[in-house]
Amino acid sequence: MTDYSRFVLESNLIGDRWTGADSGETIAVTNPATGAQIGTVPASGEAETMRAIAAAKAAFESWSKSDLSYRVGLMNRLNDALLDNQEALAWLLTCEQGKPLFEARGEIAIGAAYVRWFAEEIRRAKGEIVPAPTRDRRLLVTHHPVGVVGAITPWNFPSSMLARKLAPALAAGCTVVAKPASATPYSGLAWGKLCEEAGFPAGVVNILTGSARTIGATIMASPDVRKVTFTGSTEVGKTLIRQSADTVKKVSMELGGNAPFIVFDDADLDAAVEGAMVAKYRNMGQTCVCANRFFVQAGIHDAFVKRLAEATGALVVGSGTEEGVQQGPMIDLNAVEKVETMIADALDKGANVVTGGKRHGNGGTYFEPTVLTGATGEMMFASDEIFGPLSAVFRFETEEEALQAANATRFGLAAYAYTRDLGRAFRLNEGLQYGLIGINAGLITTVEAPFGGLKESGLGKEGGSQGLEDYFDTKYTAIAGLGL
Ligand code: NAP
């Protein structure tokens, strides 16, 4: 076991101070693998949030005008700090969230990679000189940090979701007020400690925990917060979009998904099963880009189901900190009950369980990785995110039918397809109404590419060169009277 106690931070970072809630009240944080309490965090509310916004506003004055090389230098130190502490941060993450250690290590590494990427990308964030219609003018298009940024993050990737927001914001010259999810606050608060140790000035990064509704509403109502970046459920995202209207804030939203995973008759079966396993069972099926609906063409259906069920049944379930474990506990009992309800609904409507199907013998929030066939468009998971280790397999006959079914959802985050037909790959690229598409690949998230959904899955992009755009205001300046 690696000692992670220095990252069990039981206070908020506001300006240069680590403080509790004004009321003294706290929220308990538990380990989903054991149910044991890890510690507490402050139950902050409006007053603490206002102070964090004020600290971020004060720090913005100098941070936004600081030398680019200074900001890049600090970000490089932050990257090093993350990697130097990777093992402790991974243990912390596994203990509060449940995912196996190898996944947690990967999450810390990708968080560091986002920091490195945006430290590089900011050096290429060029403006433009646009050709003017008349000879005596020069037209400049320039980028400027948007101001104080509010960042609200979910429990499923509590470290890397904050990385995708903090890194571009800091690189662009913005200051941040962040609120991590209450179930997994320590991985968020750890960023505050690491930023402090890397030498970021006080007030540039502020992190507070507490009532989501109150902190969220305070951030949204503040005219001093010019942008809000949110990752979480579509329902909360819609509330925040509504709340942004009064102050006309920029918002970017990474919301829920309902990913189709389509396997055509001509697919490489080994590759399709391998891709399915990672697209479905990573983080116990609790990722926004998780395969939610498997559409499998009739000719390969039985062979694919057999192989998927074998691989699913062989997954090692246990505490994420144990060597060899591939599936940890789910985040809480509500999540377990949602999967159970979906399975019961599907069985009622004619589906069959091939493997798994019930709570795991470990008890608590462990659930058996499950494969179910005979799925239809009337079943709950056809329209709702499962967010658990359940593979629901639909059978289809034609490409047209698969495409239509894949798009029959209000979501549009990730989609996957396995085929060896190059023409079909391009038809899917054009036809799938999704922001992220994996052809013959089940894991496609990378810092170099823009991540973000269409339809009710979100607004804006994180990562890639596009991931900086939302943290800038773009100004156009016409300079006349130059005597040219
Ligand atoms: P959630 O319930 O929407 O919570 C996300 C964050 O919002 C948490 O910090 C939560 O705080 C906060 N929150 C809740 N109600 C709020 C309100 N009224 N005002 C302001 N903030 C509020 O989502 P979740 O269950 O943590 O995460 C799972 C969801 O996130 C799934 O739908 C998943 O698909 C989506 N997700 C999307 C992406 C993406 O990139 N598109 C990535 C990861 C996850 P508390 O924890 O204190 O309630």
Side-chain angles (χ1 to χ4, degrees), residues 152-157 161 164 179-183 210-213 216-217 230-234 236 239-240 243 254-257 287-288 385 387 413 451 457 462:
I152 302 176
T153 49
W155 52 263
N156 63 342
F157 288 90
M161 293 300 106
R164 287 185 191 179
K179 191 210 95 61
S182 298
S211 159
R213 205 174 282 269
F230 171 75
T231 299
S233 61
T234 294
V236 173
T239 301
L240 299 180
Q243 291 175 340
E254 296 290 349
L255 309 178
T287 83
C288 53
E385 239 180 340
F387 239 58
L413 187 56
F451 184 107
S457 288
E462 296 191 324

Side-chain angles (χ1 to χ4, degrees), residues 141-181:
V141 178
T142 51
H143 303 306
H144 306 264
V146 68
V148 175
V149 171
I152 302 176
T153 49
W155 52 263
N156 63 342
F157 288 90
S159 187
S160 62
M161 293 300 106
L162 193 50
R164 287 185 191 179
K165 303 178 187 311
L166 266 182
L170 297 176
C174 299
T175 55
V176 179
V177 174
K179 191 210 95 61

